[in-house]
Amino acid sequence: MKLAKPIILLASIGIAIALPHFFYPIFLMKILCFALFAAAFNLLLGYTGLLSFGHAAFFGGAGYCAGYFMRDMGVGPAIGITIAVLFAAALGALIGGLAIRRQGIYFSMITLALAQMFYFVCVQVPASGGEDGFQGIPRGDLFGLINLQNDLNLYYLVLCLTVAGFLFIKRIISSPFGQILKAIKENEPRAISLGYNVNRFKFLVFILSAALAGLAGSTQALVLGFETLTDAHWTMSGLVILMTLVGGVGTMLGPFVGALVIVLLEHRVGEIGSFLSQVTGVAWFNSLGESVTIVTGLIFVFCVMAFRRGLVGLFIKQK
């Protein structure tokens, strides 16, 4: 058993390194970015019990910020992403400072309202490109040494950032700070009675979650070369909630599994439908590609009703 974890870890690293040689690197990088985004959201919901409907503001806002500094200000990707993460953290401090004193559905609705206000700012500000989006974000070079125009080089950078983000979240969870977050989730009145300033801990974890979401959003903007209003819309907040719940709330691997499932469905549901149509002879399956939201919605309902701890949670429970 002691050797099992290192072997699994090494095997996972080997697979991650080899994957871009067999699959489209852009598609893999998109999965990694959404996995990091879901992990950032899971830090808030799964380990603190705070349901935010406004994380799209940090994800999309960081993408716009990174794109603006890299394209219009001429900074490199390292500086651009760093500035975007700081911007997301500052936006998280603003939204969190206003919402954190409320609980339950009131907290969720305040985050949604403030995030939508930010969305309308993105629509109106000329620098964002409005409905046309922010186009032509250059990849550039990493510290003038690594050419990020090469998809493989960029993939390994995104992989390193994602792994670093997951390790950072794991460190937070295993620290005394993380244990207090778990105590707040399980029994907030008890945590207050023990003398902890609960609102301060919530505020700090909200900022950390926003910064990590910003890292995911700015990295995706670098990968795709553009940023659109879709990433800042409330539907993106709903999508990351879906990823987290399908994968498993409160688990480290859950966000990755959830992101993998949802992104695969969004891009491959048409091919899956064609395959099912050929196997079963039912022509209706050919229309699945036009009904992606229906398919993902049905999977979400099934996961909630059949195994509320998600795919990873179900495995851990059985184990």
Side-chain angles (χ1 to χ4, degrees), residues 65-84:
C65 181
Y68 174 77
F69 275 93
M70 285 188 287
R71 190 194 73 177
D72 296 348
M73 303 299 291
V75 304
I79 298 176
I81 290 176
T82 301
I83 294 173

Side-chain angles (χ1 to χ4, degrees), residues 148-214:
L148 297 183
Q149 300 293 337
N150 185 297
D151 286 345
L152 281 178
N153 292 342
L154 184 58
Y155 169 81
Y156 292 125
L157 172 64
V158 174
L159 178 62
C160 290
L161 290 175
T162 303
V163 171
F166 270 80
L167 291 176
F168 181 61
I169 292 172
K170 184 175 178 59
R171 181 68 186 91
I172 292 173
I173 294 167
S174 59
S175 68
F177 175 75
Q179 299 306 310
I180 296 172
L181 297 179
K182 293 177 183 178
I184 293 173
K185 177 188 176 184
E186 296 298 328
N187 195 331
E188 184 173 334
R190 180 68 181 274
I192 295 173
S193 69
L194 292 174
Y196 292 111
N197 188 338
V198 170
N199 286 335
R200 183 167 65 90
F201 283 98
K202 288 182 180 180
F203 181 65
L204 290 174
V205 75
F206 195 93
I207 294 175
L208 290 172
S209 179
L212 288 166

Side-chain angles (χ1 to χ4, degrees), residues 64 121-135 227-230:
Y64 276 113
V121 169
C122 293
V123 174
Q124 297 296 328
V125 173
S128 70
E131 295 182 356
D132 295 328
F134 196 92
Q135 308 290 332
E227 183 62 41
T228 66
L229 289 172
T230 304

Side-chain angles (χ1 to χ4, degrees), residues 53 56-57 60 115-116 119 228-238:
F53 279 109
Q116 280 302 100
Y119 168 80
T228 66
L229 289 172
T230 304
D231 289 339
H233 196 252
W234 68 266
T235 52
M236 182 59 68
S237 297

Side-chain angles (χ1 to χ4, degrees), residues 76-296:
I79 298 176
I81 290 176
T82 301
I83 294 173
V85 171
L86 294 175
F87 172 79
L91 186 61
L94 176 62
I95 294 178
L98 295 172
I100 213 69
R101 295 183 183 276
R102 298 294 179 263
Q103 296 181 346
I105 191 64
Y106 301 105
F107 169 82
S108 301
M109 290 299 100
I110 291 174
T111 58
L112 173 61
L114 294 174
Q116 280 302 100
M117 289 176 62
F118 178 78
Y119 168 80
F120 287 116
V121 169
C122 293
V123 174
Q124 297 296 328
V125 173
S128 70
E131 295 182 356
D132 295 328
F134 196 92
Q135 308 290 332
I137 300 175
R139 291 185 178 181
D141 299 322
L142 184 63
F143 303 118
L145 301 174
I146 302 174
N147 180 19
L148 297 183
Q149 300 293 337
N150 185 297
D151 286 345
L152 281 178
N153 292 342
L154 184 58
Y155 169 81
Y156 292 125
L157 172 64
V158 174
L159 178 62
C160 290
L161 290 175
T162 303
V163 171
F166 270 80
L167 291 176
F168 181 61
I169 292 172
K170 184 175 178 59
R171 181 68 186 91
I172 292 173
I173 294 167
S174 59
S175 68
F177 175 75
Q179 299 306 310
I180 296 172
L181 297 179
K182 293 177 183 178
I184 293 173
K185 177 188 176 184
E186 296 298 328
N187 195 331
E188 184 173 334
R190 180 68 181 274
I192 295 173
S193 69
L194 292 174
Y196 292 111
N197 188 338
V198 170
N199 286 335
R200 183 167 65 90
F201 283 98
K202 288 182 180 180
F203 181 65
L204 290 174
V205 75
F206 195 93
I207 294 175
L208 290 172
S209 179
L212 288 166
L215 176 61
S218 57
T219 303
Q220 183 193 243
L222 177 67
V223 170
L224 300 179
F226 60 86
E227 183 62 41
T228 66
L229 289 172
T230 304
D231 289 339
H233 196 252
W234 68 266
T235 52
M236 182 59 68
S237 297
L239 187 65
V240 75
I241 294 173
L242 177 63
M243 291 177 182
T244 307
L245 292 178
V246 169
V249 178
T251 62
M252 283 299 300
L253 288 178
F256 178 81
V257 173
L260 177 63
V261 171
I262 299 303
V263 175
L264 277 175
L265 282 175
E266 286 189 338
H267 290 79
R268 297 289 184 264
V269 70
E271 297 176 8
I272 295 172
S274 299
F275 173 76
L276 291 175
S277 178
Q278 294 176 0
V279 172
T280 62
V282 179
W284 176 82
F285 283 117
N286 287 319
S287 63
L288 282 180
E290 303 171 2
S291 310
V292 176
T293 54
I294 295 176
V295 174
T296 54

